[in-house]
PDB file of all heavy atoms in Angstrom:
ATOM      1  N   SER A  24     -53.286  16.629 -44.668  1.00  0.00           N
ATOM      2  CA  SER A  24     -53.696  17.880 -45.285  1.00  0.00           C
ATOM      3  C   SER A  24     -54.360  17.778 -46.648  1.00  0.00           C
ATOM      4  O   SER A  24     -54.000  16.977 -47.519  1.00  0.00           O
ATOM      5  CB  SER A  24     -52.409  18.743 -45.503  1.00  0.00           C
ATOM      6  OG  SER A  24     -52.730  19.913 -46.193  1.00  0.00           O
ATOM      7  N   THR A  25     -55.571  18.414 -46.794  1.00  0.00           N
ATOM      8  CA  THR A  25     -56.194  18.527 -48.043  1.00  0.00           C
ATOM      9  C   THR A  25     -56.603  20.002 -48.217  1.00  0.00           C
ATOM     10  O   THR A  25     -56.820  20.627 -47.224  1.00  0.00           O
ATOM     11  CB  THR A  25     -57.465  17.578 -48.140  1.00  0.00           C
ATOM     12  OG1 THR A  25     -58.386  18.012 -47.076  1.00  0.00           O
ATOM     13  CG2 THR A  25     -57.107  16.231 -47.874  1.00  0.00           C
ATOM     14  N   SER A  26     -56.699  20.429 -49.382  1.00  0.00           N
ATOM     15  CA  SER A  26     -56.924  21.848 -49.589  1.00  0.00           C
ATOM     16  C   SER A  26     -57.872  22.070 -50.835  1.00  0.00           C
ATOM     17  O   SER A  26     -57.817  21.303 -51.714  1.00  0.00           O
ATOM     18  CB  SER A  26     -55.656  22.628 -49.820  1.00  0.00           C
ATOM     19  OG  SER A  26     -55.912  24.009 -50.004  1.00  0.00           O
ATOM     20  N   SER A  27     -58.733  23.022 -50.677  1.00  0.00           N
ATOM     21  CA  SER A  27     -59.471  23.434 -51.839  1.00  0.00           C
ATOM     22  C   SER A  27     -59.661  24.945 -51.860  1.00  0.00           C
ATOM     23  O   SER A  27     -59.669  25.565 -50.809  1.00  0.00           O
ATOM     24  CB  SER A  27     -60.913  22.714 -51.785  1.00  0.00           C
ATOM     25  OG  SER A  27     -61.626  23.179 -50.650  1.00  0.00           O
ATOM     26  N   SER A  28     -59.846  25.508 -53.006  1.00  0.00           N
ATOM     27  CA  SER A  28     -60.068  26.919 -53.112  1.00  0.00           C
ATOM     28  C   SER A  28     -60.916  27.148 -54.337  1.00  0.00           C
ATOM     29  O   SER A  28     -60.410  27.323 -55.420  1.00  0.00           O
ATOM     30  CB  SER A  28     -58.736  27.678 -53.183  1.00  0.00           C
ATOM     31  OG  SER A  28     -58.997  29.099 -53.270  1.00  0.00           O
ATOM     32  N   THR A  29     -62.269  27.039 -54.153  1.00  0.00           N
ATOM     33  CA  THR A  29     -63.160  27.193 -55.233  1.00  0.00           C
ATOM     34  C   THR A  29     -64.427  27.990 -54.771  1.00  0.00           C
ATOM     35  O   THR A  29     -64.663  28.085 -53.547  1.00  0.00           O
ATOM     36  CB  THR A  29     -63.673  25.801 -55.658  1.00  0.00           C
ATOM     37  OG1 THR A  29     -64.271  25.111 -54.625  1.00  0.00           O
ATOM     38  CG2 THR A  29     -62.478  24.938 -56.215  1.00  0.00           C
ATOM     39  N   VAL A  52     -62.999  33.354 -48.192  1.00  0.00           N
ATOM     40  CA  VAL A  52     -63.112  32.855 -46.822  1.00  0.00           C
ATOM     41  C   VAL A  52     -62.206  31.639 -46.710  1.00  0.00           C
ATOM     42  O   VAL A  52     -62.145  30.729 -47.628  1.00  0.00           O
ATOM     43  CB  VAL A  52     -64.576  32.340 -46.581  1.00  0.00           C
ATOM     44  CG1 VAL A  52     -64.741  31.678 -45.276  1.00  0.00           C
ATOM     45  CG2 VAL A  52     -65.556  33.494 -46.711  1.00  0.00           C
ATOM     46  N   ALA A  53     -61.444  31.657 -45.643  1.00  0.00           N
ATOM     47  CA  ALA A  53     -60.584  30.500 -45.312  1.00  0.00           C
ATOM     48  C   ALA A  53     -61.090  29.928 -44.010  1.00  0.00           C
ATOM     49  O   ALA A  53     -61.289  30.630 -43.018  1.00  0.00           O
ATOM     50  CB  ALA A  53     -59.140  30.896 -45.179  1.00  0.00           C
ATOM     51  N   ALA A  54     -61.224  28.545 -43.924  1.00  0.00           N
ATOM     52  CA  ALA A  54     -61.737  27.879 -42.752  1.00  0.00           C
ATOM     53  C   ALA A  54     -60.907  26.611 -42.482  1.00  0.00           C
ATOM     54  O   ALA A  54     -60.677  25.867 -43.466  1.00  0.00           O
ATOM     55  CB  ALA A  54     -63.206  27.578 -42.846  1.00  0.00           C
ATOM     56  N   ILE A  55     -60.551  26.439 -41.263  1.00  0.00           N
ATOM     57  CA  ILE A  55     -59.844  25.201 -40.860  1.00  0.00           C
ATOM     58  C   ILE A  55     -60.677  24.024 -41.106  1.00  0.00           C
ATOM     59  O   ILE A  55     -61.819  24.004 -40.757  1.00  0.00           O
ATOM     60  CB  ILE A  55     -59.321  25.308 -39.501  1.00  0.00           C
ATOM     61  CG1 ILE A  55     -58.441  24.097 -39.017  1.00  0.00           C
ATOM     62  CG2 ILE A  55     -60.440  25.393 -38.472  1.00  0.00           C
ATOM     63  CD1 ILE A  55     -57.053  24.082 -39.614  1.00  0.00           C
ATOM     64  N   GLU A  56     -60.171  22.946 -41.762  1.00  0.00           N
ATOM     65  CA  GLU A  56     -60.879  21.721 -41.787  1.00  0.00           C
ATOM     66  C   GLU A  56     -60.553  20.864 -40.617  1.00  0.00           C
ATOM     67  O   GLU A  56     -59.454  20.540 -40.318  1.00  0.00           O
ATOM     68  CB  GLU A  56     -60.411  20.889 -43.042  1.00  0.00           C
ATOM     69  CG  GLU A  56     -61.181  19.593 -43.214  1.00  0.00           C
ATOM     70  CD  GLU A  56     -60.642  18.787 -44.458  1.00  0.00           C
ATOM     71  OE1 GLU A  56     -59.991  19.319 -45.301  1.00  0.00           O
ATOM     72  OE2 GLU A  56     -60.982  17.558 -44.489  1.00  0.00           O
ATOM     73  N   THR A  57     -61.668  20.530 -39.904  1.00  0.00           N
ATOM     74  CA  THR A  57     -61.532  19.738 -38.614  1.00  0.00           C
ATOM     75  C   THR A  57     -62.363  18.466 -38.759  1.00  0.00           C
ATOM     76  O   THR A  57     -62.847  18.093 -39.877  1.00  0.00           O
ATOM     77  CB  THR A  57     -62.010  20.543 -37.450  1.00  0.00           C
ATOM     78  OG1 THR A  57     -63.437  20.675 -37.556  1.00  0.00           O
ATOM     79  CG2 THR A  57     -61.301  21.931 -37.363  1.00  0.00           C
ATOM     80  N   TYR A  59     -65.225  18.116 -37.979  1.00  0.00           N
ATOM     81  CA  TYR A  59     -66.631  18.509 -38.440  1.00  0.00           C
ATOM     82  C   TYR A  59     -66.742  18.292 -39.973  1.00  0.00           C
ATOM     83  O   TYR A  59     -67.838  18.353 -40.484  1.00  0.00           O
ATOM     84  CB  TYR A  59     -66.963  19.946 -38.042  1.00  0.00           C
ATOM     85  CG  TYR A  59     -66.893  20.118 -36.543  1.00  0.00           C
ATOM     86  CD1 TYR A  59     -66.343  21.296 -36.011  1.00  0.00           C
ATOM     87  CD2 TYR A  59     -67.534  19.226 -35.711  1.00  0.00           C
ATOM     88  CE1 TYR A  59     -66.323  21.571 -34.711  1.00  0.00           C
ATOM     89  CE2 TYR A  59     -67.578  19.575 -34.324  1.00  0.00           C
ATOM     90  CZ  TYR A  59     -66.979  20.666 -33.773  1.00  0.00           C
ATOM     91  OH  TYR A  59     -66.935  20.904 -32.425  1.00  0.00           O
ATOM     92  N   GLY A  60     -65.678  18.321 -40.737  1.00  0.00           N
ATOM     93  CA  GLY A  60     -65.716  18.130 -42.142  1.00  0.00           C
ATOM     94  C   GLY A  60     -65.806  19.494 -42.882  1.00  0.00           C
ATOM     95  O   GLY A  60     -65.815  20.554 -42.260  1.00  0.00           O
ATOM     96  N   THR A  61     -65.947  19.347 -44.208  1.00  0.00           N
ATOM     97  CA  THR A  61     -65.999  20.520 -45.073  1.00  0.00           C
ATOM     98  C   THR A  61     -67.415  20.892 -45.565  1.00  0.00           C
ATOM     99  O   THR A  61     -67.711  22.087 -45.965  1.00  0.00           O
ATOM    100  CB  THR A  61     -65.132  20.263 -46.307  1.00  0.00           C
ATOM    101  OG1 THR A  61     -65.618  19.145 -47.014  1.00  0.00           O
ATOM    102  CG2 THR A  61     -63.673  20.001 -45.893  1.00  0.00           C
ATOM    103  N   GLU A  62     -68.290  19.950 -45.526  1.00  0.00           N
ATOM    104  CA  GLU A  62     -69.607  20.148 -46.118  1.00  0.00           C
ATOM    105  C   GLU A  62     -70.399  21.264 -45.454  1.00  0.00           C
ATOM    106  O   GLU A  62     -71.097  22.089 -46.179  1.00  0.00           O
ATOM    107  CB  GLU A  62     -70.497  18.771 -46.088  1.00  0.00           C
ATOM    108  CG  GLU A  62     -71.740  18.928 -46.842  1.00  0.00           C
ATOM    109  CD  GLU A  62     -72.607  17.684 -46.850  1.00  0.00           C
ATOM    110  OE1 GLU A  62     -72.112  16.668 -46.179  1.00  0.00           O
ATOM    111  OE2 GLU A  62     -73.591  17.580 -47.476  1.00  0.00           O
ATOM    112  N   MET A  63     -70.291  21.400 -44.156  1.00  0.00           N
ATOM    113  CA  MET A  63     -71.035  22.433 -43.417  1.00  0.00           C
ATOM    114  C   MET A  63     -70.658  23.835 -43.873  1.00  0.00           C
ATOM    115  O   MET A  63     -71.510  24.686 -44.153  1.00  0.00           O
ATOM    116  CB  MET A  63     -70.902  22.305 -41.945  1.00  0.00           C
ATOM    117  CG  MET A  63     -69.519  22.552 -41.385  1.00  0.00           C
ATOM    118  SD  MET A  63     -69.519  22.358 -39.605  1.00  0.00           S
ATOM    119  CE  MET A  63     -67.869  23.075 -39.244  1.00  0.00           C
ATOM    120  N   TRP A  64     -69.397  24.045 -44.172  1.00  0.00           N
ATOM    121  CA  TRP A  64     -68.930  25.401 -44.621  1.00  0.00           C
ATOM    122  C   TRP A  64     -69.324  25.593 -46.029  1.00  0.00           C
ATOM    123  O   TRP A  64     -69.689  26.688 -46.457  1.00  0.00           O
ATOM    124  CB  TRP A  64     -67.401  25.465 -44.490  1.00  0.00           C
ATOM    125  CG  TRP A  64     -66.954  25.856 -43.092  1.00  0.00           C
ATOM    126  CD1 TRP A  64     -66.437  25.048 -42.152  1.00  0.00           C
ATOM    127  CD2 TRP A  64     -67.085  27.103 -42.519  1.00  0.00           C
ATOM    128  NE1 TRP A  64     -66.120  25.736 -40.992  1.00  0.00           N
ATOM    129  CE2 TRP A  64     -66.529  27.017 -41.191  1.00  0.00           C
ATOM    130  CE3 TRP A  64     -67.535  28.345 -42.951  1.00  0.00           C
ATOM    131  CZ2 TRP A  64     -66.434  28.126 -40.313  1.00  0.00           C
ATOM    132  CZ3 TRP A  64     -67.458  29.436 -42.114  1.00  0.00           C
ATOM    133  CH2 TRP A  64     -67.003  29.313 -40.750  1.00  0.00           C
ATOM    134  N   GLU A  65     -69.309  24.510 -46.898  1.00  0.00           N
ATOM    135  CA  GLU A  65     -69.793  24.666 -48.268  1.00  0.00           C
ATOM    136  C   GLU A  65     -71.315  25.011 -48.301  1.00  0.00           C
ATOM    137  O   GLU A  65     -71.738  25.892 -49.101  1.00  0.00           O
ATOM    138  CB  GLU A  65     -69.533  23.350 -48.936  1.00  0.00           C
ATOM    139  CG  GLU A  65     -68.103  23.022 -49.173  1.00  0.00           C
ATOM    140  CD  GLU A  65     -67.798  21.588 -49.537  1.00  0.00           C
ATOM    141  OE1 GLU A  65     -68.797  20.764 -49.625  1.00  0.00           O
ATOM    142  OE2 GLU A  65     -66.610  21.261 -49.830  1.00  0.00           O
ATOM    143  N   LEU A  81     -64.114  29.719 -51.251  1.00  0.00           N
ATOM    144  CA  LEU A  81     -63.860  28.977 -49.938  1.00  0.00           C
ATOM    145  C   LEU A  81     -62.562  28.168 -50.034  1.00  0.00           C
ATOM    146  O   LEU A  81     -62.428  27.277 -50.944  1.00  0.00           O
ATOM    147  CB  LEU A  81     -65.030  28.130 -49.587  1.00  0.00           C
ATOM    148  CG  LEU A  81     -64.975  27.282 -48.329  1.00  0.00           C
ATOM    149  CD1 LEU A  81     -64.822  28.164 -47.069  1.00  0.00           C
ATOM    150  CD2 LEU A  81     -66.200  26.303 -48.263  1.00  0.00           C
ATOM    151  N   THR A  82     -61.711  28.365 -49.053  1.00  0.00           N
ATOM    152  CA  THR A  82     -60.463  27.644 -48.923  1.00  0.00           C
ATOM    153  C   THR A  82     -60.507  26.916 -47.633  1.00  0.00           C
ATOM    154  O   THR A  82     -60.712  27.490 -46.558  1.00  0.00           O
ATOM    155  CB  THR A  82     -59.194  28.512 -49.025  1.00  0.00           C
ATOM    156  OG1 THR A  82     -59.092  29.137 -50.308  1.00  0.00           O
ATOM    157  CG2 THR A  82     -57.925  27.698 -48.745  1.00  0.00           C
ATOM    158  N   MET A  83     -60.258  25.543 -47.626  1.00  0.00           N
ATOM    159  CA  MET A  83     -60.196  24.756 -46.398  1.00  0.00           C
ATOM    160  C   MET A  83     -58.957  23.884 -46.439  1.00  0.00           C
ATOM    161  O   MET A  83     -58.624  23.301 -47.497  1.00  0.00           O
ATOM    162  CB  MET A  83     -61.549  23.897 -46.280  1.00  0.00           C
ATOM    163  CG  MET A  83     -62.843  24.787 -46.192  1.00  0.00           C
ATOM    164  SD  MET A  83     -64.211  23.768 -45.532  1.00  0.00           S
ATOM    165  CE  MET A  83     -63.644  23.423 -43.832  1.00  0.00           C
ATOM    166  N   ASP A  84     -58.438  23.675 -45.333  1.00  0.00           N
ATOM    167  CA  ASP A  84     -57.198  22.813 -45.185  1.00  0.00           C
ATOM    168  C   ASP A  84     -57.068  22.438 -43.753  1.00  0.00           C
ATOM    169  O   ASP A  84     -57.345  23.196 -42.813  1.00  0.00           O
ATOM    170  CB  ASP A  84     -56.016  23.499 -45.647  1.00  0.00           C
ATOM    171  CG  ASP A  84     -54.819  22.587 -45.993  1.00  0.00           C
ATOM    172  OD1 ASP A  84     -54.182  22.146 -45.066  1.00  0.00           O
ATOM    173  OD2 ASP A  84     -54.643  22.267 -47.200  1.00  0.00           O
ATOM    174  N   LYS A  85     -56.653  21.190 -43.551  1.00  0.00           N
ATOM    175  CA  LYS A  85     -56.358  20.691 -42.159  1.00  0.00           C
ATOM    176  C   LYS A  85     -55.159  21.442 -41.501  1.00  0.00           C
ATOM    177  O   LYS A  85     -55.092  21.471 -40.340  1.00  0.00           O
ATOM    178  CB  LYS A  85     -56.136  19.251 -42.159  1.00  0.00           C
ATOM    179  CG  LYS A  85     -57.364  18.462 -42.508  1.00  0.00           C
ATOM    180  CD  LYS A  85     -57.102  16.891 -42.503  1.00  0.00           C
ATOM    181  CE  LYS A  85     -58.373  16.150 -42.789  1.00  0.00           C
ATOM    182  NZ  LYS A  85     -58.170  14.718 -42.827  1.00  0.00           N
ATOM    183  N   ASN A  86     -54.278  21.990 -42.218  1.00  0.00           N
ATOM    184  CA  ASN A  86     -53.136  22.749 -41.847  1.00  0.00           C
ATOM    185  C   ASN A  86     -53.292  24.073 -42.463  1.00  0.00           C
ATOM    186  O   ASN A  86     -52.367  24.542 -43.270  1.00  0.00           O
ATOM    187  CB  ASN A  86     -51.847  22.046 -42.244  1.00  0.00           C
ATOM    188  CG  ASN A  86     -51.695  20.684 -41.476  1.00  0.00           C
ATOM    189  OD1 ASN A  86     -51.615  20.628 -40.339  1.00  0.00           O
ATOM    190  ND2 ASN A  86     -51.612  19.629 -42.288  1.00  0.00           N
ATOM    191  N   LEU A  87     -54.329  24.793 -42.149  1.00  0.00           N
ATOM    192  CA  LEU A  87     -54.659  26.067 -42.815  1.00  0.00           C
ATOM    193  C   LEU A  87     -53.579  27.080 -42.746  1.00  0.00           C
ATOM    194  O   LEU A  87     -53.348  27.873 -43.681  1.00  0.00           O
ATOM    195  CB  LEU A  87     -55.960  26.647 -42.216  1.00  0.00           C
ATOM    196  CG  LEU A  87     -56.603  27.755 -43.000  1.00  0.00           C
ATOM    197  CD1 LEU A  87     -56.999  27.383 -44.440  1.00  0.00           C
ATOM    198  CD2 LEU A  87     -57.780  28.341 -42.244  1.00  0.00           C
ATOM    199  N   VAL A  90     -51.239  27.228 -45.551  1.00  0.00           N
ATOM    200  CA  VAL A  90     -51.768  27.689 -46.813  1.00  0.00           C
ATOM    201  C   VAL A  90     -51.815  29.168 -46.822  1.00  0.00           C
ATOM    202  O   VAL A  90     -51.420  29.886 -47.764  1.00  0.00           O
ATOM    203  CB  VAL A  90     -53.149  27.066 -47.082  1.00  0.00           C
ATOM    204  CG1 VAL A  90     -53.768  27.740 -48.414  1.00  0.00           C
ATOM    205  CG2 VAL A  90     -53.084  25.572 -47.266  1.00  0.00           C
ATOM    206  N   TYR A 101     -57.180  37.064 -47.121  1.00  0.00           N
ATOM    207  CA  TYR A 101     -58.539  36.541 -47.155  1.00  0.00           C
ATOM    208  C   TYR A 101     -59.377  37.588 -46.417  1.00  0.00           C
ATOM    209  O   TYR A 101     -58.910  38.457 -45.670  1.00  0.00           O
ATOM    210  CB  TYR A 101     -58.614  35.160 -46.442  1.00  0.00           C
ATOM    211  CG  TYR A 101     -58.045  34.084 -47.279  1.00  0.00           C
ATOM    212  CD1 TYR A 101     -56.659  33.878 -47.244  1.00  0.00           C
ATOM    213  CD2 TYR A 101     -58.846  33.354 -48.059  1.00  0.00           C
ATOM    214  CE1 TYR A 101     -56.077  32.893 -48.017  1.00  0.00           C
ATOM    215  CE2 TYR A 101     -58.266  32.264 -48.801  1.00  0.00           C
ATOM    216  CZ  TYR A 101     -56.891  32.073 -48.790  1.00  0.00           C
ATOM    217  OH  TYR A 101     -56.407  31.114 -49.639  1.00  0.00           O
ATOM    218  N   HIS A 105     -61.481  31.494 -40.441  1.00  0.00           N
ATOM    219  CA  HIS A 105     -61.979  30.753 -39.295  1.00  0.00           C
ATOM    220  C   HIS A 105     -60.781  29.833 -38.827  1.00  0.00           C
ATOM    221  O   HIS A 105     -60.481  28.848 -39.430  1.00  0.00           O
ATOM    222  CB  HIS A 105     -63.195  29.897 -39.539  1.00  0.00           C
ATOM    223  CG  HIS A 105     -63.545  28.947 -38.435  1.00  0.00           C
ATOM    224  ND1 HIS A 105     -63.347  27.612 -38.575  1.00  0.00           N
ATOM    225  CD2 HIS A 105     -63.951  29.156 -37.209  1.00  0.00           C
ATOM    226  CE1 HIS A 105     -63.757  27.003 -37.411  1.00  0.00           C
ATOM    227  NE2 HIS A 105     -64.116  27.935 -36.602  1.00  0.00           N
TER     228      HIS A 105
END
Side-chain angles (χ1 to χ4, degrees):
S24 176
T25 61
S26 181
S27 63
S28 182
T29 60
V52 177
I55 185 74
E56 180 185 346
T57 69
Y59 299 134
T61 62
E62 186 178 5
M63 65 181 192
W64 279 104
E65 293 164 356
L81 178 62
T82 296
M83 298 196 68
D84 197 280
K85 292 180 179 179
N86 297 297
L87 190 63
V90 176
Y101 288 82
H105 172 249

